[in-house]
Structures are given as structure tokens and as C-alpha cells.
């Protein structure tokens, strides 16, 4: 068991380590991919800023070149490139402004915004001189052209452009360096992951090898234990064979005893009772009162001995001479029992209620004896001044109740309940009353040998059932019998015979 726990712990630790390594690698990989995407986005933004600023710078130069050519030569041909560039300059300015917004550095954004402002001022100055020249105001246009205003604007524009370009190239180099570092880190992470995975594979291989060795060792131990167990089973089988032979011999002796009890023992008792009755009737005048008392005691003892032998024979025949199970209508069985008990029922003024009963696989004669014993006891152990009230109920047993009473699964069970309002008994004697020859009352109070309920339990057990008793003194008794509707006898069903009282 300890080895199994240790092996399981090793596998759990290995799996946990693998999960941790895979999770760490996945998190780092996702983080690296996010960083790469962010750096590439920043590089792309830097390139766009450089391209848009360069395009604006070129546009300003081309516009100024067209303006200079037109003013110096008064040739409209120079205005073609000038106008074409002006048509594109608004889009270029918008691109530069958009890239200024995307920039991560506030100082650079401010420079770009200032560059756009200077570009607009420079372009307005160029447009103003060209429009004056077109309106035949060459003198005024040339005076503006020859002034230092346009040159100063361009110098500021050019200086700011160079600063922006230099800063963007620096940022570009910084982003490229970061990108290279991330790529190097990714390669290192790949190498570390590969090495870690390799070590984990090697560890799993060694752990698997250890488990295989442990499995082989456990298998050998199991084989050894199986061999020991087989030898013990063989020993127990031989012992069981001996016990089986002894049981068979005991059954033969029980059958012999039953034969002796039914013939050899009953015959002397019959003679004792017969000659005792003759003495009692024919020699009353000869025998004095004391002798007559001895004779009556002898006859009573012989009668009790005869009843005891008969009941003991009936008890032994429950399993040794039971009939095969057939479809038995319990309504018919109970109806026949009530007809047999008609006289004691009338004498006691008993009130008996029998609910509808099922048809079940059973030994009809034994079921008849079962109900006969239970009804007879209910009529016998009654209150002196209260008429007996006996009820026989039937209900199906659900699966939960089957589990509680540990009944055989796969069978349809019913519970038969016989309840009376008799004198009852202490619940502590609920098991004692089912033992043979156990009596709760003296012979002078109630007749009997104390074997009737023992026969009832044996009949119920032969039907694979269960019988229990519940009672309180003075409040009657209740007997619950759990019986399967489609059961089979637990003894040899081929044995023939009927459980009857010995005669």
C-alpha cells in the first residue's frame, strides 16, 4: 500500500511539474508575442512618421521651387508642379497630424505639431506671392519674395524637420534593438523549454521504468500470494469435503432419528397411554387416591412426550422432506386454515380480517403450517375477557426496505404481517421465541412444546425469507414475514414429503 501511495505521489508530482512548466512557458510566450506585436506596431508608427514628414518636406520644397521659377521667369509652366503638389499637401498634412497623435512621446508629438504649423505658414506665404504675381502685382510679390520672411520660415521648418527625423531614427533604432532582444529572449526561452521538456521526458521515462519494475515485483508477489491462497483453498476444500461427509452422515442420522421418532418412540408411548387409560378406567376402585394421582401424572407426561416427539419430527422435516415450489394462492391457503380453526374461532369469538394475498412460488403445505401456527398462537395467547382480533396484511417491499433488511436482490418481495391484540411479550424475547423448546409461560397456563414458532422461522428461511416479531406486554404481537414471490428453496427441492405433525 505504501509503495502504491509513493508511486501515485511521484506521478502526481511529475504531472504537476509538467503543468507548471507548460503554464510558465505559455505565459512567457504569450507575453513575448504581445511585446513583439507592440514593438512592431511602434516601429510601423515610426516608419509612418518618417515617411509622412519626408513627404511633407518634399512637398514644401517642390511648392517653393515652383513659386521661385514662376516669380523669376514669369513662366506659367512652373505652376503645374506647384498646383499638383498643393492638391496633395492637405492629405500630407492630415497624415502628419494623425501620426503625431499616435506617437508615444509627447515631446515628439509637439515637434510634429509645430512642424505642421510651420508648413502651413510657409505654404500660405508661397501661395500669397504666387497669387499676387497672377494678379499682375509682380513688384509686391517680388518684395515679399526678396524679404527674409520666407527664408526664416523655411530655416525653422528645416531645423525642426531635421530634429524630428533624427528623433524618429533614434526611436526606430531603439525599437529595433528591443525587437532583437525579444527575439533573442524567445530563442533562449525556446532552448530552455526544449531542455526542460527533455528533462521531463527523461524523468517520465525513469519514473515509468521504476513503475514497471514495481509492477513486475508486485505481480510476482501477487503470484506468490495466489499460490499460497490456492494451497489454502485446497486445504479448506479438503476440510469442506470432510465436513460435507460429516453433514451427510448427520443428515442420515437425522432421517434415522425421524424414523425412530415416528415409529419406535411413538409405539411405546401409545402402549403406555393405552394401558394407563385401562388402569384409570378399569381399576379405579382398586387404586387409591394417591395411586390415581400418580397414574394421571404418568398419562400427562406420556401425552407431552408424544407431542414433543411429533413437534420435533415436524421441525426436522421442514428441510428434509419439503416439497417443490409451485404457484400457490395464499388466499386459498389461509381460507382452508380458517375453516380448520372454525371451532376455536367460534369459542373465542375471534374477529379475523384477511386482506387480499398474492400468488407466489412456495411449498403450499408448509405455508399452510406457517399460517396455522401463527393463527393458533394468536387464538391461544389472548386476553381472558377480550375477544381476539387478528389481521393479516400484505404489502410490496421497496428497494430501500430490501437494502435495510439485506434481502436477496433481483426478486419481487412482499411483506406479510400477522397482528393480534393478545397478551404480547417483552421485546427482549423477540429472538428467543423462535428457538426450539423456548417457552415464555408455564405448562399450566398454556399448552404446547414451544416449537411452533421455530417451525415458522425454518419454513420462512426455506423460502429465502425473513421473519421478525414485535410486541409489548398487554398490547398484542406483530409478526412480519418478508417473502419473495418468485423464490426457490434453499434446500434440495427434489426431496419429497410433507411437513405434518407426527401421528
Amino acid at each position: 500500500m505504501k509503495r502504491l501511495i509513493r508511486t501515485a505521489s511521484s506521478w502526481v508530482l511529475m504531472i504537476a511539474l509538467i503543468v507548471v512548466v507548460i503554464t510558465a512557458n505559455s505565459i512567457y510566450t504569450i507575453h513575448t508575442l504581445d511585446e513583439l506585436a507592440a514593438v512592431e506596431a511602434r516601429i510601423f508608427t515610426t516608419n509612418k512618421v518618417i515617411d509622412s514628414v519626408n513627404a511633407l518636406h518634399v512637398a514644401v520644397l517642390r511648392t517653393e521651387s515652383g513659386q521661385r521659377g514662376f516669380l523669376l521667369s514669369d513662366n506659367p509652366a512652373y505652376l503645374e508642379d506647384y498646383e499638383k503638389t498643393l492638391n496633395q499637401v492637405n492629405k500630407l498634412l492630415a497624415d502628419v497630424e494623425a501620426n503625431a497623435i499616435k506617437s508615444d512621446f509627447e515631446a515628439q508629438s509637439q515637434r510634429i505639431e509645430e512642424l505642421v504649423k510651420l508648413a502651413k505658414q510657409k505654404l500660405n506665404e508661397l501661395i500669397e506671392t504666387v497669387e499676387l504675381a497672377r494678379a499682375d502685382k509682380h513688384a509686391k510679390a517680388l518684395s515679399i519674395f526678396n524679404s527674409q520672411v520666407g527664408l526664416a520660415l523655411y530655416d525653422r521648418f528645416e531645423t525642426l524637420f531635421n530634429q524630428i527625423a533624427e528623433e524618429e531614427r533614434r526611436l526606430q533604432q531603439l525599437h529595433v534593438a528591443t525587437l532583437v532582444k525579444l527575439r533573442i529572449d524567445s530563442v533562449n526561452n525556446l532552448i530552455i523549454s526544449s531542455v526542460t521538456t527533455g528533462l521531463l521526458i527523461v524523468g517520465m521515462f525513469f519514473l515509468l521504468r521504476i513503475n514497471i519494475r514495481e509492477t513486475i515485483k508486485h505481480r510476482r508477489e501477487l503470484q506468490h500470494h495466489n499460490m499460497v491462497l490456492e494451497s489454502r483453498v485446497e486445504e479448506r476444500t479438503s476440510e469442506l469435503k470432510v465436513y460435507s461427509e460429516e453433514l451427510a452422515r448427520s443428515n442420515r442420522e437425522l432421517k434415522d432419528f425421524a424414523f425412530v421418532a415416528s415409529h419406535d418412540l411413538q409405539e411405546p408411548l401409545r402402549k403406555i397411554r393405552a394401558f394407563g387409560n385401562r388402569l384409570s378406567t378399569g381399576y379405579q376402585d382398586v387404586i387409591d387416591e394417591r395411586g390415581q394421582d400418580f397414574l394421571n401424572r404418568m398419562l400427562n407426561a406420556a401425552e407431552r412426550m408424544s407431542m414433543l416427539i411429533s413437534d420435533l419430527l415436524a421441525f426436522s422435516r421442514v428441510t428434509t422432506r419439503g416439497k417443490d415450489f409451485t404457484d400457490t394462492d395464499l388466499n386459498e391457503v389461509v381460507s382452508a386454515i380458517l375453516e380448520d380453526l372454525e371451532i376455536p374461532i367460534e369459542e373465542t369469538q375471534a374477529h379475523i380480517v384477511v386482506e387480499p394475498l398474492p400468488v407466489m412460488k412456495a411449498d403450499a403445505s408448509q405455508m399452510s403450517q406457517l399460517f396455522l401456527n401463527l393463527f393458533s398462537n394468536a387464538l391461544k395467547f389472548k386476553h381472558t375477557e377480550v375477544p381476539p382480533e387478528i389481521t393479516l396484511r400484505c404489502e410490496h417491499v421497496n428497494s430501500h426496505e430490501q437494502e435495510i433488511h439485506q434481502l436477496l436482490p433481483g426478486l419481487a418481495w412482499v411483506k406479510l404481517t400477522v397482528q393480534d391484540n393478545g397478551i404480547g411479550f417483552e421485546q427482549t424475547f423477540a429472538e428467543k421465541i423462535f428457538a426450539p423448546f423456548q417457552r415464555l409461560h408455564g405448562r399450566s397456563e398454556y399448552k404446547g412444546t414451544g416449537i411452533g414458532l421455530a417451525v415458522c422461522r425454518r419454513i420462512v428461511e426455506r423460502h429465502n425469507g425473513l421473519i421478525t416479531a414485535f410486541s409489548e406486554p398487554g398490547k398484542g404481537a406483530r409478526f412480519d414475514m418478508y417473502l419473495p414471490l418468485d423464490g426457490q428453496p434453499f434446500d434440495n427441492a427434489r426431496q419429497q414429503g410433507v411437513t405434518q405433525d407426527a401421528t
Side-chain angles (χ1 to χ4, degrees), residues 82-332:
Y82 164 84
E83 292 177 352
K84 182 178 179 181
T85 304
L86 284 179
N87 291 332
Q88 299 175 354
V89 76
N90 289 330
K91 182 178 182 303
L92 294 175
L93 290 171
D95 291 342
V96 173
E97 289 177 343
N99 293 325
I101 296 173
K102 295 179 181 178
S103 179
D104 297 333
F105 299 94
E106 185 177 355
Q108 186 71 349
S109 298
Q110 292 177 355
R111 291 192 194 99
I112 295 174
E113 291 176 358
E114 182 66 22
L115 181 68
V116 171
K117 188 184 296 183
L118 290 174
K120 290 180 179 179
Q121 291 178 3
K122 179 61 178 176
L123 291 172
N124 289 333
E125 185 265 335
L126 295 175
I127 293 171
E128 182 182 3
T129 56
V130 171
E131 293 302 322
L132 288 173
R134 283 182 173 179
D136 295 330
K137 297 179 181 181
H138 291 282
K140 188 175 181 179
L142 288 174
S143 64
I144 296 173
F145 174 76
N146 292 326
S147 68
Q148 299 298 321
V149 177
L151 183 61
L153 283 173
Y154 181 77
D155 289 341
R156 290 171 60 193
F157 177 82
E158 183 73 16
T159 302
L160 192 57
F161 166 76
N162 291 331
Q163 291 177 357
I164 292 173
E166 184 178 354
E167 181 65 17
E168 290 298 325
R169 283 192 292 270
R170 188 186 69 80
L171 292 175
Q172 190 177 43
Q173 291 176 358
L174 180 63
H175 295 332
V176 170
T178 304
L179 183 62
V180 172
K181 182 178 181 300
L182 287 174
R183 289 180 177 176
I184 293 173
D185 292 342
S186 299
V187 173
N188 293 334
N189 179 59
L190 180 61
I191 294 172
I192 294 172
S193 300
S194 301
V195 173
T196 305
T197 304
L199 292 176
L200 289 175
I201 292 173
V202 172
M204 291 182 64
F205 172 76
F206 279 108
L207 185 60
L208 183 61
R209 188 174 180 181
I210 292 172
N211 288 339
I212 291 174
R213 290 181 179 177
E214 291 290 334
T215 302
I216 294 174
K217 185 177 180 180
H218 293 335
R219 186 177 298 172
R220 290 175 180 173
E221 292 178 355
L222 183 60
Q223 290 176 351
H224 174 70
H225 291 318
N226 286 338
M227 293 176 63
V228 174
L229 183 61
E230 288 177 358
S231 63
R232 291 181 180 177
V233 169
E234 290 179 358
E235 293 176 0
R236 295 296 297 171
T237 302
S238 60
E239 292 178 1
L240 289 175
K241 288 181 179 178
V242 174
Y243 294 151
S244 178
E245 293 175 357
E246 292 180 358
L247 181 61
R249 184 171 60 254
S250 176
N251 286 336
R252 288 194 300 270
E253 292 175 355
L254 182 60
K255 292 180 181 179
D256 294 340
F257 164 77
F259 178 79
V260 171
S262 60
H263 296 84
D264 298 347
L265 293 181
Q266 291 283 14
E267 185 60 28
L269 285 174
R270 291 192 189 97
K271 290 182 179 180
I272 292 173
R273 294 172 64 184
F275 287 116
N277 289 329
R278 290 181 183 181
L279 287 173
S280 178
T281 56
Y283 297 89
Q284 287 182 347
D285 298 335
V286 178
I287 302 175
D288 60 8
E289 184 178 352
R290 187 178 182 185
Q292 191 70 32
D293 180 59
F294 289 159
L295 182 61
N296 291 333
R297 291 186 181 184
M298 179 189 71
L299 291 175
N300 290 333
E303 183 179 2
R304 291 199 305 271
M305 186 64 182
S306 178
M307 291 175 58
L308 183 62
I309 293 173
S310 298
D311 291 344
L312 185 61
L313 182 62
F315 180 75
S316 67
R317 283 181 173 178
V318 170
T319 55
T320 59
R321 299 186 65 182
K323 287 184 177 182
D324 291 337
F325 283 12
T326 57
D327 291 334
T328 303
D329 189 347
L330 298 184
N331 296 288
E332 296 179 359

Side-chain angles (χ1 to χ4, degrees), residues 380-382 384 423 439-448:
K380 181 194 301 184
F381 299 102
K382 66 180 184 62
T384 55
I423 61 174
R439 298 173 54 88
L440 303 182
H441 307 88
R443 292 189 182 90
S444 60
E445 297 179 80
Y446 300 97
K447 293 183 179 181

Side-chain angles (χ1 to χ4, degrees), residues 247 251 254-255 314-325 362-363 366 408 458-465 487-499:
L247 181 61
N251 286 336
L254 182 60
K255 292 180 181 179
F315 180 75
S316 67
R317 283 181 173 178
V318 170
T319 55
T320 59
R321 299 186 65 182
K323 287 184 177 182
D324 291 337
F325 283 12
D363 184 336
Q366 290 186 352
L408 291 175
R458 198 152 190 178
I459 290 173
V460 171
E461 289 178 347
R462 181 172 181 257
H463 287 74
N464 294 298
Q488 294 293 329
F490 68 83
D491 63 336
N492 186 1
R494 297 184 182 278
Q495 294 176 345
Q496 300 297 321
V498 182
T499 304

Side-chain angles (χ1 to χ4, degrees), residues 275-484:
F275 287 116
N277 289 329
R278 290 181 183 181
L279 287 173
S280 178
T281 56
Y283 297 89
Q284 287 182 347
D285 298 335
V286 178
I287 302 175
D288 60 8
E289 184 178 352
R290 187 178 182 185
Q292 191 70 32
D293 180 59
F294 289 159
L295 182 61
N296 291 333
R297 291 186 181 184
M298 179 189 71
L299 291 175
N300 290 333
E303 183 179 2
R304 291 199 305 271
M305 186 64 182
S306 178
M307 291 175 58
L308 183 62
I309 293 173
S310 298
D311 291 344
L312 185 61
L313 182 62
F315 180 75
S316 67
R317 283 181 173 178
V318 170
T319 55
T320 59
R321 299 186 65 182
K323 287 184 177 182
D324 291 337
F325 283 12
T326 57
D327 291 334
T328 303
D329 189 347
L330 298 184
N331 296 288
E332 296 179 359
V333 172
V334 174
S335 177
I337 293 301
L338 296 179
E339 289 180 3
D340 294 339
L341 296 174
E342 182 178 0
I343 294 177
I345 290 174
E346 291 179 354
E347 291 176 350
T348 59
Q349 298 180 351
H351 178 65
I352 300 177
V353 177
V354 179
E355 295 183 358
L357 301 175
V359 176
M360 59 180 293
K361 292 282 187 182
D363 184 336
S365 61
Q366 290 186 352
M367 296 305 294
S368 176
Q369 185 174 359
L370 171 66
F371 288 111
L372 177 62
N373 290 346
L374 292 176
F375 280 115
S376 297
N377 282 350
L379 293 172
K380 181 194 301 184
F381 299 102
K382 66 180 184 62
H383 290 288
T384 55
E385 298 178 357
V386 179
E389 293 184 1
I390 305 170
T391 304
L392 174 57
R393 299 189 302 271
C394 175
E395 59 184 84
H396 289 277
V397 181
N398 56 38
S399 58
H400 177 66
E401 196 170 0
Q402 291 181 27
E403 293 179 0
I404 293 176
H405 296 286
Q406 297 180 350
L407 304 178
L408 291 175
L411 298 176
W413 291 84
V414 293
K415 182 172 74 171
L416 303 175
T417 301
V418 177
Q419 189 166 7
D420 60 56
N421 64 338
I423 61 174
F425 54 86
E426 292 286 351
Q427 186 62 30
T428 54
F429 299 118
E431 284 296 319
K432 181 180 179 181
I433 60 175
F434 291 109
F437 310 116
Q438 294 294 327
R439 298 173 54 88
L440 303 182
H441 307 88
R443 292 189 182 90
S444 60
E445 297 179 80
Y446 300 97
K447 293 183 179 181
T449 59
I451 205 169
L453 290 178
V455 173
C456 291
R457 167 173 277 186
R458 198 152 190 178
I459 290 173
V460 171
E461 289 178 347
R462 181 172 181 257
H463 287 74
N464 294 298
L466 173 69
I467 183 171
T468 56
F470 302 91
S471 179
E472 290 184 27
K475 296 184 179 181
R478 187 181 87 243
F479 292 89
D480 292 337
M481 294 165 287
Y482 296 89
L483 294 169

